[in-house]
Amino acid sequence: MKLYRYLTGPDDKNFCLRVTAALNQGWILYGGPTLSFNGQQTIAGQAIIKEVDGEFSQDMDLSSL
């Protein structure tokens, strides 16, 4: 099955570390990053996908896969 996540957060070191951790867990970038401004800081977003065995369930914790 294919999994999809959209990571968001302030455009800082911690966001980059979250994306890097996901890549090292087998996730793949899906499209380019997005940036927006909430009036105080720049917010980054990055879609990621991963192919895994098993069947989809609404109760899945995608951050642990």
Side-chain angles (χ1 to χ4, degrees):
M1 95 182 103
K2 289 186 180 183
L3 304 176
Y4 172 89
R5 289 176 66 192
Y6 187 68
L7 303 176
T8 62
D11 185 19
D12 60 11
K13 175 184 174 182
N14 290 329
F15 178 77
C16 293
L17 290 173
R18 288 176 53 217
V19 173
T20 299
L23 293 174
N24 282 285
Q25 293 169 356
W27 292 85
I28 299 168
L29 298 177
Y30 185 75
T34 59
L35 295 174
S36 64
F37 185 70
N38 68 3
Q40 296 178 348
Q41 58 188 343
T42 301
I43 304 297
Q46 177 63 59
I48 54 177
I49 58 172
K50 185 176 186 180
E51 184 87 30
V52 297
D53 293 331
E55 294 196 22
F56 176 75
S57 167
Q58 294 282 344
D59 300 324
M60 297 175 79
D61 179 9
L62 297 177
S63 64
S64 68
L65 298 174

